[in-house]
Amino acid sequence: MKNTKREKKFSNKTIERLALYYEILITLPFKKKYISSEEIGNLAGVSPSTVRQDFLYFNEIEGKAKIGYEVTKLKEALRNIFKLNSKTHVVIVGAGSLGQAIAGYDSFKKSKVVFDSFFDNNPNKIGRLFKGIFVRDIKYLKDYLKENRRIKIVVICVPPKEAQSIVNLVVDSGIKIIWNFSPTILKVPSDILVEYEHIGVSFYRLLFKRKTIKKEIK
Amino acid sequence: MKNTKREKKFSNKTIERLALYYEILITLPFKKKYISSEEIGNLAGVSPSTVRQDFLYFNEIEGKAKIGYEVTKLKEALRNIFKLNSKTHVVIVGAGSLGQAIAGYDSFKKSKVVFDSFFDNNPNKIGRLFKGIFVRDIKYLKDYLKENRRIKIVVICVPPKEAQSIVNLVVDSGIKIIWNFSPTILKVPSDILVEYEHIGVSFYRLLFKRKTIKKEIK
DNA sequence: TAGATTGTTAATCGATTAACAATC
DNA sequence: TAGATTGTTAATCGATTAACAATC
């Protein structure tokens, strides 16, 4: 059994790995009832020790010696940790292919993320449906966010040159959380949470690793 | 001046930050000739010490005391480190919105990444152009990769259930580098480099941070 | 010149790994 | 029961930060 007092600060890396463990668990075959820290580690590419250390921070995660962790319980615990069981309302600015890709992303279908609306400035897109989501005129974005307080997160999928002015507007309307896919650094007040998704960075990392691989082969 | 002998192993984090520095540099105003480690650090959200430590691994990066780093030189050095100056041929499997988003991603327009072709199994898409790139029938993927040896990287943008079978086929045809956007863990031989882009993981991290923010406010 | 910023070493901090008693 | 795996502490490893002489 776990100690009850346990409020150490966990690192960003722990959070990232927990999300990864969750993605692994949801792709597991149904018949699998228990999983050990060793198995999780193998699938996630980390040591069993690291898996157990990550779990140590959370009282809701509990395994059984000799047996491992009950898969359904572990999944549920992770869903709670990430609050995936409560609805999250989101708006996407930019109804291009990137915005559509996010709205249609597979993992979200298993969560309670609700995409309320697209916003775009392209007259050919305004009024249409993409992935079943209505596209509104971007000039109504500020009013919409002010009137629909359930919306907590805004996703930025516009070209980098337009990103900052839209973010200013979004911040003005009271939104505190921004998920930014536009490859540019945003200036925001310190109480705003911005999570960057740098697709380019991930590709550069790939190119770099390629170089080192080639050296190893020679 | 830098010491010439310098072959310490740099971490994954260093590579990631270097890519981030590069993205920052390309969004800088033209008139800016020099930049200090402090300024870079502020923009990237790391300490000046970390910036200088990262640069320390690379002899091609050199600054001037009191002045800082020459922006154009620094950009060029980073382009060399990531081999962005030589062409990289890439094929995208899955011509859905995600695949299209990658093909149209802004940062790549400044690099020499060439998207040769989409592959898809949807008859309505085969033969069409998306973002100026031709969509071929997925049944010709293996032959295409074997005949066009210039293609070094395959991007996976298909639903998770189809991902593994396509990856098997790609590996069979001799490809060594895979960039996977499908939210599933892939099984590949040990000599294959797979870079995962978990969009979902990034969103979960955001949800988690939101929770801790709320606590701080209360 | 004087002082700001680099390049680099040393000190600190944090994260990962190892080890092992508890236990199912 | 015996042995495999957890929960947890301690040891190790690596990454970040601090400090400062060199220098432009």
Side-chain angles (χ1 to χ4, degrees):
Chain A
M1 224 223 285
K2 282 200 181 178
N3 288 343
T4 39
K5 277 247 181 134
R6 182 149 302 282
E7 273 301 318
K8 271 213 291 179
K9 265 281 175 231
F10 29 76
S11 71
N12 239 314
K13 282 217 154 176
T14 290
I15 298 164
E16 220 160 289
R17 280 191 301 259
L18 287 171
L20 184 58
Y21 303 154
Y22 178 70
E23 289 245 310
I24 286 163
L25 290 174
I26 59 178
T27 61
L28 235 45
F30 281 117
K31 57 179 179 180
K32 188 137 185 76
K33 290 272 176 276
Y34 288 91
I35 192 164
S36 68
S37 56
E38 177 133 26
E39 289 175 286
I40 296 172
N42 283 337
L43 289 166
V46 300
S47 76
S49 243
T50 300
V51 174
R52 294 204 299 279
Q53 284 285 2
D54 287 338
F55 288 172
L56 195 53
Y57 298 118
F58 299 91
N59 289 316
E60 54 260 64
I61 298 176
E62 208 163 272
K64 287 192 185 114
K66 191 179 175 179
I67 297 166
Y69 303 86
E70 199 177 322
V71 174
T72 48
K73 270 193 181 177
L74 185 52
K75 257 198 279 196
E76 195 51 32
L78 289 168
R79 290 181 71 82
N80 282 331
I81 287 165
F82 289 108
K83 288 255 191 275
L84 293 176
N85 285 325
S86 56
K87 274 193 184 173
T88 305
H89 289 269
V90 180
V91 145
I92 301 175
V93 184
S97 45
L98 186 55
Q100 290 177 42
I102 292 157
Y105 194 67
D106 251 283
S107 272
F108 294 149
K109 288 171 190 159
K110 287 165 192 157
S111 71
K112 295 203 175 167
V113 176
V114 180
F115 295 103
D116 282 61
S117 201
F118 278 115
F119 283 88
D120 207 295
N121 60 5
N122 183 338
N124 297 324
K125 289 181 178 167
I126 294 166
R128 290 178 65 189
L129 290 171
F130 292 121
K131 311 268 170 186
I133 299 157
F134 193 74
V135 184
R136 288 171 211 281
D137 192 324
I138 200 159
K139 68 181 172 191
Y140 302 126
L141 174 59
K142 199 170 172 179
D143 288 341
Y144 188 90
L145 293 175
K146 284 190 169 179
E147 282 164 24
N148 297 282
R149 285 293 174 192
R150 67 176 180 279
I151 293 156
K152 301 294 183 205
I153 301 177
V154 170
V155 189
I156 305 292
C157 297
V158 299
K161 280 179 185 170
E162 299 166 29
Q164 185 63 57
S165 64
I166 285 169
V167 165
N168 294 343
L169 199 145
V170 166
V171 170
D172 275 353
S173 65
I175 292 287
K176 298 287 179 207
I177 310 174
I178 291 168
W179 196 19
N180 178 44
F181 282 77
S182 196
T184 184
I185 311 292
L186 300 173
K187 287 185 197 75
V188 293
S190 62
D191 65 325
I192 308 294
L193 171 61
V194 180
E195 183 80 25
Y196 289 88
E197 184 74 41
H198 283 282
I199 295 177
V201 167
S202 149
F203 190 77
Y204 299 151
R205 196 168 49 204
L206 187 71
L207 290 181
F208 187 86
K209 285 185 188 165
R210 173 183 63 163
K211 230 176 55 172
T212 56
I213 277 180
K214 276 184 185 164
K215 271 182 194 160
E216 278 164 26
I217 290 166
K218 266 170 202 169
Chain B
M1 224 225 284
K2 282 200 181 177
N3 288 343
T4 40
K5 277 247 181 132
R6 180 151 304 282
E7 273 302 318
K8 272 213 290 181
K9 268 281 178 230
F10 28 76
S11 72
N12 240 313
K13 284 215 154 180
T14 290
I15 298 164
E16 221 161 287
R17 280 191 302 259
L18 287 171
L20 185 57
Y21 303 154
Y22 178 70
E23 290 244 311
I24 286 164
L25 290 174
I26 59 178
T27 61
L28 235 44
F30 280 120
K31 55 178 180 180
K32 188 140 184 73
K33 291 272 175 275
Y34 288 91
I35 191 165
S36 68
S37 57
E38 178 134 27
E39 289 175 286
I40 296 172
N42 283 338
L43 290 166
V46 300
S47 76
S49 244
T50 301
V51 174
R52 294 205 297 279
Q53 283 285 1
D54 288 338
F55 289 172
L56 196 55
Y57 298 119
F58 300 92
N59 289 315
E60 54 260 63
I61 297 176
E62 209 163 272
K64 287 193 185 111
K66 191 180 174 177
I67 297 167
Y69 302 87
E70 198 177 324
V71 174
T72 48
K73 268 193 180 175
L74 184 52
K75 258 199 278 196
E76 195 51 33
L78 289 167
R79 290 181 72 82
N80 282 330
I81 286 166
F82 290 109
K83 287 255 191 278
L84 293 176
N85 285 324
S86 56
K87 274 192 183 172
T88 305
H89 289 269
V90 179
V91 146
I92 301 175
V93 185
S97 46
L98 186 55
Q100 291 177 42
I102 292 157
Y105 194 66
D106 251 283
S107 272
F108 294 149
K109 288 170 189 160
K110 289 165 189 155
S111 72
K112 295 203 173 166
V113 176
V114 180
F115 296 103
D116 282 62
S117 202
F118 279 114
F119 283 87
D120 207 295
N121 60 5
N122 182 338
N124 297 324
K125 288 180 179 169
I126 294 165
R128 289 178 64 189
L129 290 172
F130 292 121
K131 310 269 171 186
I133 300 157
F134 193 75
V135 184
R136 290 171 208 280
D137 192 324
I138 200 158
K139 68 181 172 192
Y140 302 126
L141 174 60
K142 197 169 172 179
D143 287 343
Y144 187 89
L145 294 175
K146 285 190 169 177
E147 282 163 24
N148 297 281
R149 284 296 175 190
R150 65 176 181 280
I151 292 156
K152 301 293 181 204
I153 301 177
V154 171
V155 189
I156 305 292
C157 297
V158 299
K161 280 182 184 168
E162 298 167 29
Q164 185 64 56
S165 66
I166 285 169
V167 165
N168 294 344
L169 197 145
V170 166
V171 170
D172 276 353
S173 65
I175 292 287
K176 298 287 178 205
I177 310 175
I178 292 168
W179 195 20
N180 179 44
F181 281 77
S182 197
T184 183
I185 312 291
L186 300 172
K187 289 187 195 72
V188 293
S190 61
D191 65 325
I192 308 295
L193 171 60
V194 180
E195 183 80 24
Y196 290 88
E197 183 75 40
H198 284 282
I199 293 177
V201 167
S202 150
F203 190 77
Y204 299 150
R205 197 168 49 202
L206 187 70
L207 290 182
F208 187 86
K209 284 185 188 166
R210 173 182 64 161
K211 229 175 56 170
T212 56
I213 275 181
K214 278 183 185 165
K215 272 183 195 163
E216 278 165 27
I217 288 167
K218 268 171 201 168

